[in-house]
């Protein structure tokens, strides 16, 4: 039983990593007042760029760099529309998701002639597991051994990065000058502007950070968790991250736990396929799959607390009297 | 010369598996005969029928439709174009101008099950299916029989990836399912899951376990950890449809391809020969012979929708 | 003080046109990037969409879905609501249509089934929009997020129902049995052929007429009834609406019901008009494309019809293009669609300020 | 004033700024001596805020130059302005409400990439500033919990913390009681003594005369006059502002009130955050009288109007009107109140009274959209709406009289006329009217005031809410003062004076009375 639990948690870490990265990405963007339903598209774009570059250059790290470039590029388009031209954030996000969904397949087919997929990645073109020292040796020590060797050890570098980014995000958002300005610009951009700070610049920086994190999330999908790009491989994870962001009320640590919860549900769903639970019978997988979405709706409805976002979120900043 | 065409199913011709098998078959056909084959990859339901119809309109014949999903579209279009020859792989349509090609997947699956059992140290093996449909259960059931034939008290962990077409193209989930089976002790896993299999093979590679491919010979995908592949010779089926048409021998009706017809088999090549001992090879040949001559009867799940053998 | 005004044709004509041209221009760059001649591609696109009878039929068949989802997105827009849930509402609407057809096809004639199925699709679509609408109106839950969530929930629900309940025995894929012909909405080519008109075999069916009717209903409702007046007030100034004694929550809920109903009618076209059975994923992104249609159609029924036909043409032309040039995938159409959303939606202000400024200065001078 | 030659603290030369078709500033020149308090007055929309925003770098001028201490400077954004020592307290506060005072003050001047050190240094510096200028606030308080008076102090501290030598205040007293305003002016005086130059925008002539050294007048985007305060007077300034002679007094006879038409008893209202906005408000409104509600904005007046007009539901208490008893459990919505012949001119026409995207004829039926007059069986009767709108536009001299013009494209005064005409022409028994002349220039004010008095003389009951004490005192027959959601006093109009009302508005009437005697 304990072992099963550890293994499910182990899978949870793997599955929630892209959610954590994307949700933190969303946190930066939305804290600055820019709604981002384009997380999905940026992740997908990043995944494609990572796999394509890794396939060509044979290096996962180069893949990661390209993923970040691609995703930041998309983030800048979002910024250009929402910040510079005061466009509707949601429309812009939908546009980016749509463009990327089509463009990845189109370019993929043109470049690799494999029906829109990238070639399968092997060796250095993928991020591989890092085994902690002595993981083998202490694997048999009860409890600790399993936790250390199965749960903690043996993930790829991006997983560890995602978890390091959580306290880092907390520190940046709440303890630095940039964080202060970021939060201020999401609450009252006029105040920031009159304090002599460029609202646009702060927001652009926020969306760029968002792009970087989404790029890493995308690279994780195609060069770490999987070995290559597949059409639509983000499969709604961007929306799920958005849900986690709301669930975590735009705060890094609660957001982490929301992602872990969603990842856990996913891991459990995989293992519950066709399994009859005592007393309940066979739980339809679909019922577990929809849980994160249902939970988010319930949260939004105020049944499990109220989710109040940054005050100026989604509102184009116009230098005008109210 | 004939004017042949093929319509792949929505997974696309590079699924490394089923569709890609057909693709290999027609490439060979083109190489052998110099006749170009018109290919089409519809992206949604409406386009399947639209493309079939358009190919028929333009006089392409025979038209090979790949996959059970095409059945209803083929049956509609075939009705409207009685002069065009249609071959459908994995589907059965009873119409005067349609040839239905199906395989005895249970026999091939039995074979690889035998090999899996021989290679398992834990006496626990896994099966990852794609979409939960009778056809895939047929694979699983044959595999299980093969495993139990060698090790009667072996455990066969079976998982399906999902219940929609997407289940054939979800390597992430494939990898998670494989990892969960490994964690339950499995050390050989057979994936009958189209593109999802890629994730399964990757997971096996990452964890140093053995995997068995499906449809095409997939041994090259992860050399060293691909034990074998259960090949389903869709390539040969497509090739033969065109070849027969070329020779004027194309005939409508049901064609069932099993071990004896060379429709299914296990794959042995340079990529996996290091894993297969001479003993194993001999045993495999013996089992194969027994199936062909009827000494071993492999139960077909689809005959009664159960796996009681 | 001078009452400078920007001429109407600038706002409804010039600026949208510029935005779309820019979207097409960038699309052209994408074609160049994949080594295709954009003009040649455009040629295939146009021929495929309008070059022959059946092509036009397919174009209008796609347009039918897009008119429904465009109207759905648009009417919600009018009340200031962003309904991203068209996809899920269309899906569940189709379920409603399918269930009615499966239930009645052996006992009733078309003349009874058709109106019932239309109502069924609308009611199911509306019902799926009801919960997000209710939560928005009464509990302030952000409708964008809830409708996205409801898309996912609809998708899981459909899989569950299709796989466990509605799938025909012995079928591999989860599709229901095919309806009897009494539940088939007539194809337009079948309607026209007795009149001696041959319009080519295509899936275009009577649902297209229903879509046009929908546009008329939309127009009357929004601009010529007090309900529409209330709706537009809520959409542009909710505080003024409250001041005017309008129940914002009620309007929100009603408009979302209508929006969901419009989206649900996609089911009539797809399930009753074309597929003749219930299946998965028949919505194929029409709900999202409806956003582009509504934006491009400037939230006006005439505009929506034109935009839907344009997008329908892109779908059909794109399929033709991919059919003729196998190295192009029909997904390129999705790129074009996304670019249109980007340029005529998110970047609509890019030229607006400058052009309006120009005309204002000219008027002021 | 001395005849000393410049350098001036600020010198503006030919500043122009255009917003679309509106020329907000046109060739403005201005010289402000160092260490003086310089007033700027002008009607709403005259361009005062725009000019200040240009000095502060919030907007960029289309042309013209700015010199600080005799040196021409290039101010492209607020950062530049702060660098040359300009600070600004905006008409609407620029504070992040859920930040602490300290965080708000350091925003933009954090002193390092990591907050920790900057915050503690700022804490020290603020202690100094607070004692030096007697501007004490709790630096760890969250801004949204502070009363407006204190929020304004935070704004001033913010400017001083950045080392402002020139302080711009845009209508700082609009949200303050006269006493708070006096305190502000004392602060400004002490700033002046420290050598700070103050630019003060207000349209309260009394404040200009009481506290400035010089005053400049703007009209329709132009600077039309400069005066030394000591040499001018109210009437001259008013005339300069409007460009014609104005009567600052409303002429009206004494009221002849008859029976009570509306009585409110213990009205309470809690907002969505659960804050009690109205606290047991009771009063009676008689036919033929104008009842004025005075108070600093944000003390429950808006909520009172909302509750009376049915926009917001009562939390408790009851309203007797037109034979009906309205309570929390038996509410009436805005439409039902209209049916009972209660009209309402809301405080904010843009936010509430109009839909700026509608054509004028559509906006002219807002609230009455369900009336039979404007409707057929199914569809609305456009013809009736249009002809009525045209008629009213001529009657009320709305310019231009074009029913198809978008409401947004009418000027503030004309928008207000559309709203008032709509409400008055329904021939109501009770007219609730909030800030009737906000954003309306003095010429139009006269007209609106006349209409209100006319309605009263026709025997209707009028409830007038205004933050302009002058307006309240000029129009009302009876005055109620509200503070913090409660009625804190009632005064007959003829006994009201600014000081009394001001003290009541600060809820300091009783305390001050004692103190004044001591
Ligand atoms: N951001 C803007 N965009 C467009 N027009 C503007 C903008 N800001 C001001 N205006 C216009 O410029 C003119 C001057 O406005 P400004 O705010 O400077 O007036 P003001 O004298 O401060 O008035 P008030 O007393 O109401 O504060 C007005 O006609 C106003 O409508
Ligand atoms: N919110 C707004 N949106 C668009 N245009 C506006 C807006 N507010 C003001 N305007 C434009 O700015 C112009 C000036 O408005 P403003 O209220 O300052 O006029 P004004 O000169 O004060 O006139 P009045 O004497 O009637 O109040 C108007 O004619 C109008 O066209
Ligand atoms: Mg101002
Ligand atoms: Mg004005």
């Amino acid at each position: 039983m304990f072992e099963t639990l550890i293994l499910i948690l182990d899978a949870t870490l793997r599955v929630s990593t892209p959610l954590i990265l994307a949700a933190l990405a969303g946190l930066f963007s939305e804290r600055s007042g820019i709604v981002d339903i384009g997380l999905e598209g940026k992740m997908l774009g990043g995944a494609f760029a990572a796999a394509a570059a890794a396939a060509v250059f044979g290096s996962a790290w180069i893949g990661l760099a390209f993923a970040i470039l691609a995703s930041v590029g998309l983030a800048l388009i979002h910024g250009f529309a929402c910040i510079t031209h005061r466009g509707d954030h949601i429309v812009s996000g939908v546009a980016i998701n749509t463009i990327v969904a089509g463009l990845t397949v189109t370019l993929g087919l043109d470049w690799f002639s494999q029906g829109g997929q990238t070639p399968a990645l092997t060796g250095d073109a993928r991020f591989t597991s890092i085994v902690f020292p002595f993981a083998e040796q202490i694997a048999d020590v009860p409890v600790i051994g399993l936790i250390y060797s199965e749960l903690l050890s043996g993930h790829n570098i991006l997983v560890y990065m995602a978890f390091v980014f959580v306290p880092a995000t907390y520190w940046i958002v709440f303890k630095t000058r940039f964080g202060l300005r970021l939060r201020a610009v999401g609450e009252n951009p006029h105040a920031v502007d009159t304090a002599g700070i460029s609202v646009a610049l702060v927001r652009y920086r926020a969306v760029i950070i968002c792009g970087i994190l989404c790029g890493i999330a995308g690279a994780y999908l195609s060069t770490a968790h999987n070995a290559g790009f597949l059409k639509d491989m983000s499969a709604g994870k961007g929306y799920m991250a958005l849900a986690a962001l709301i669930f975590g009320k735009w705060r890094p640590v609660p957001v982490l736990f929301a992602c872990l919860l969603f990842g856990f549900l996913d891991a459990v769903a995989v293992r519950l396929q066709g399994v009859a639970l005592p007393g309940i019978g066979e739980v339809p997988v679909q019922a577990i799959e929809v849980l994160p979405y249902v939970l988010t709706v319930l949260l939004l409805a105020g049944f499990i607390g109220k989710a109040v976002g940054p005050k100026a979120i989604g509102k184009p900043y116009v230098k005008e009297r109210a | 010369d004939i004017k042949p065409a093929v319509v792949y199913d929505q997974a696309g011709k590079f699924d490394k598996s089923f569709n890609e098998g057909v693709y290999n078959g027609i490439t060979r056909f083109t190489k052998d005969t110099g006749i170009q084959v018109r290919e089409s990859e519809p992206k949604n339901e409406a386009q399947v029928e639209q493309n079939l119809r358009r190919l028929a309109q333009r006089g392409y014949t025979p038209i090979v439709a790949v996959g059970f999903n095409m059945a209803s579209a083929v049956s509609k279009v075939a009705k409207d174009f009685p002069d065009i020859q249609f071959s459908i792989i994995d589907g059965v349509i009873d119409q005067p101008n349609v040839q239905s090609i199906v395989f005895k997947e249970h026999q091939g699956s039995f074979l690889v099950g035998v090999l899996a059992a021989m290679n398992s140290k834990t006496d626990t093996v896994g099966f990852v299916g794609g979409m939960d449909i009778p056809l895939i259960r047929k694979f699983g059931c044959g595999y299980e029989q093969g495993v139990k034939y060698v090790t009667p008290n072996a455990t066969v962990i079976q998982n399906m990836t999902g219940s929609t077409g997407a289940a054939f193209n979800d390597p992430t989930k494939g990898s998670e399912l494989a990892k969960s089976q490994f964690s339950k002790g499995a050390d050989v896993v057979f994936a009958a899951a189209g593109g999802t299999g890629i994730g399964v093979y990757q997971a096996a590679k990452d964890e140093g376990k053995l995997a068995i491919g499906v449809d095409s010979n997939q041994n090259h995908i992860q050399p060293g950890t691909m034990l074998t592949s259960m090949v389903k010779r869709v390539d040969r089926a497509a090739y033969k449809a065109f070849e027969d048409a070329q020779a004027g021998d194309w005939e409508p009706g049901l064609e069932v391809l099993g071990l004896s017809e060379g429709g299914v088999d296990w794959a042995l090549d340079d990529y996996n020969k290091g894993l297969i001992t001479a003993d194993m090879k001999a045993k495999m040949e013996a089992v194969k012979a027994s199936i062909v001559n009827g000494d071993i009867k492999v139960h077909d799940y689809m005959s009664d929708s159960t796996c009681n053998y | 003080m001078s009452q400078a005004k920007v001429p109407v044709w600038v706002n409804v004509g010039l600026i949208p046109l510029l935005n779309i041209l820019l979207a097409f221009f960038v699309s052209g760059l994408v074609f160049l990037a994949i080594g295709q001649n954009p003009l040649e591609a455009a040629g295939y696109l146009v021929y495929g969409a309008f070059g022959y009878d059946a092509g036009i039929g397919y174009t209008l068949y796609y347009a039918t879905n897009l008119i429904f989802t465009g109207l759905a997105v648009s009417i919600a827009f009018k009340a200031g609501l962003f309904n991203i849930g068209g996809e899920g509402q269309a899906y569940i609407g189709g379920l409603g249509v399918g269930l009615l057809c499966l239930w009645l096809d052996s006992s009733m004639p078309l003349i009874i089934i058709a109106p019932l199925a239309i109502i069924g699709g609308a009611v199911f679509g509306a019902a799926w929009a009801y919960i997000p609408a209710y939560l928005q109106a009464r509990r302030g839950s952000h409708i964008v997020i809830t409708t996205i969530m409801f898309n996912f929930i609809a998708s899981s629900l459909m899989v569950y129902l299709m796989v466990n309940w509605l799938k025909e025995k012995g079928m591999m894929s989860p599709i229901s049995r095919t309806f009897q012909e009494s539940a088939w909405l007539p194809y337009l080519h079948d309607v026209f052929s007795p009149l001696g008109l041959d319009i080519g075999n295509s899936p275009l069916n009577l649902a297209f007429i229903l879509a046009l009717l929908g546009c008329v209903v939309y127009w009357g409702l929004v601009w010529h009834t007090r309900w529409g007046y209330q709706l537009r007030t809520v959409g542009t100034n909710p505080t003024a609406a409250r001041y005017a004694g309008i129940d914002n929550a009620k309007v929100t809920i009603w408009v979302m019901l209508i929006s969901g109903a419009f989206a649900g009618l996609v089911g009539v076209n797809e399930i009753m008009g074309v597929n003749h059975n219930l299946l998965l994923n028949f919505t194929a992104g029409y709900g999202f494309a409806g956003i582009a249609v509504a934006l491009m159609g400037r939230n006006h029924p005439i505009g929506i019809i034109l935009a839907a036909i344009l997008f329908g043409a892109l779908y059909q032309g794109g399929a033709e293009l991919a059919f003729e040039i196998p190295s192009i995938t029909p997904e390129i159409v999705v790129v074009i669609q996304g670019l249109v959303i980007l340029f005529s939606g998110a970047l609509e202000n890019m030229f607006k300020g400058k052009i309006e400024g120009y005309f204002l200065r000219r008027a002021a001078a | 004033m001395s005849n000393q030659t410049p350098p001036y603290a600020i010198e503006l030369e030919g500043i122009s700024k255009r917003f679309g078709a509106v020329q907000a500033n046109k060739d403005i020149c201005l010289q402000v001596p160092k260490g003086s308090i310089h007033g700027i007055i002008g009607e709403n929309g005259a361009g005062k805020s725009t000019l200040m925003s240009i000095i502060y770098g919030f907007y960029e001028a289309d042309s013209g130059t700015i010199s600080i201490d005799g040196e021409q400077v290039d101010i492209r954004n607020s950062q530049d302005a702060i660098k040359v020592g300009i600070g600004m307290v905006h008409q609407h506060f620029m504070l992040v409400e859920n930040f602490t005072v300290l965080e708000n003050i350091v925003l933009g001047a954090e002193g390092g990439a990591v907050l920790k050190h900057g915050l503690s240094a700022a804490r020290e510096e603020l202690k100094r500033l607070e004692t030096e200028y007697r501007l004490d606030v709790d630096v760890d308080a969250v801004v949204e919990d502070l009363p407006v008076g204190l929020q304004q102090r935070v704004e001033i501290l913010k400017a001083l913390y950045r080392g402002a030598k020139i302080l711009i205040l845009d209508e700082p007293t609009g949200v303050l009681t006269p006493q708070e305003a006096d305190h502000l002016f004392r602060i400004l005086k002490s700033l002046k003594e420290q050598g700070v130059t103050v630019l003060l925008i207000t349209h309260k002539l009394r404040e200009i005369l009481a506290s400035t050294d010089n005053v400049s007048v703007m009209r329709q985007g132009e600077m039309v006059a400069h005066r030394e305060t000591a040499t001018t007077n109210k009437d001259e300034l008013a005339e300069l502002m409007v460009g014609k002679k104005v009567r600052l007094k409303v002429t009206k006879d004494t009221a002849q009130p008859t029976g009570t038409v509306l009585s409110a008893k213990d009205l309470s209202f809690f907002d969505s955050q659960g804050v009690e906005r109205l606290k047991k408000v009771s009063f009676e409104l008689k036919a033929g009288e104008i009842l004025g509600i005075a108070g600093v904005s944000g003390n429950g007046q808006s909520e009172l109007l909302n509750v009376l007009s049915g926009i917001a539901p009562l939390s408790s208490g009851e309203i007797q009107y037109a034979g009906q008893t309205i309570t929390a459990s038996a509410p009436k919505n805005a439409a039902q109140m209209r049916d009972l012949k209660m009209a309402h001119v809301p405080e904010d026409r843009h936010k509430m009274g109009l839909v700026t995207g509608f054509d004028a004829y559509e906006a002219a039926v807002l609230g009455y959209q369900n009336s039979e007059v404007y409707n057929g069986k199914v569809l609305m009767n456009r013809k009736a709406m249009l002809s009525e709108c045209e008629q009213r536009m001529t009657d009320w001299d709305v310019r231009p009289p074009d029913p198809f013009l978008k409401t947004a494209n009418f000027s503030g005064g004309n928008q207000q006329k559309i709203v008032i005409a709509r409400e008055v022409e329904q021939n109501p028994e009770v007219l609730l009217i909030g800030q009737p002349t906000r954003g309306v220039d003095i010429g139009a004010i006269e007209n609106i005031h006349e209409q209100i008095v006319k309605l009263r003389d026709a025997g209707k009951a009028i409830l007038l809410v205004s933050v302009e004490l002058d307006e309240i005192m000029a129009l009302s027959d009876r005055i109620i003062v509200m503070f913090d959601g409660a009625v804190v006093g009632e005064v007959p109009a003829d006994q009201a004076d600014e000081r009394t009302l001001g003290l009541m508005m600060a809820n300091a009437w009783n305390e001050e009375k004692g103190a004044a005697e001591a």
Side-chain angles (χ1 to χ4, degrees), chain D residues 363-405:
Chain D
V365 304
L366 186 69
Y368 304 95
Q369 68 276 357
N370 290 332
S371 144
E372 291 165 13
V373 186
Y374 309 125
N375 280 287
K377 277 210 180 60
V378 180
L379 305 180
M380 288 189 95
N381 184 349
R382 224 156 99 115
K383 230 192 215 149
M385 291 161 72
L386 278 170
S387 66
E388 191 192 86
C389 182
E390 266 163 15
Q391 183 60 43
R392 283 196 194 152
M393 285 180 143
T394 18
D395 291 352
W396 286 74
D397 188 27
V398 174
R399 274 176 278 182
D402 175 2
F404 288 109
L405 189 67

Side-chain angles (χ1 to χ4, degrees), chain A residues 4 87 123 133 168 232 237 255 268 293 306:
Chain A
T4 315
D232 287 334
K237 290 193 178 63
V255 164
V268 169
Y293 308 117
K306 194 96 187 127

Side-chain angles (χ1 to χ4, degrees), chain A residues 171 173-181 183-185 187-188 190-198 311 317 319-322, chain D residues 56-59 78-79 82 90 92-99 103 106-110 112-116 144 158 162:
Chain A
W171 186 76
V173 170
F174 292 103
K175 302 288 175 191
T176 68
R177 171 172 64 192
F178 172 69
L180 185 76
R181 293 177 174 191
R183 283 180 290 138
V185 98
E187 287 291 330
N188 185 353
H190 294 272
V192 174
D193 199 346
T194 53
I197 305 162
S198 161
K311 218 176 276 163
Y317 174 59
K319 277 194 181 193
E320 252 165 32
R321 302 173 300 183
Chain D
Y56 190 63
F58 200 58
Y59 296 137
S78 302
Q79 187 80 61
I82 292 168
H90 292 261
H92 308 280
F93 297 154
M94 298 292 182
L95 297 170
V96 182
E97 297 210 317
N98 62 356
F99 277 20
E103 285 176 318
V106 299
L107 184 65
E110 298 87 348
V114 180
L115 281 182
K116 211 167 162 190
E144 61 197 347
K158 213 163 100 178
R162 289 166 169 71

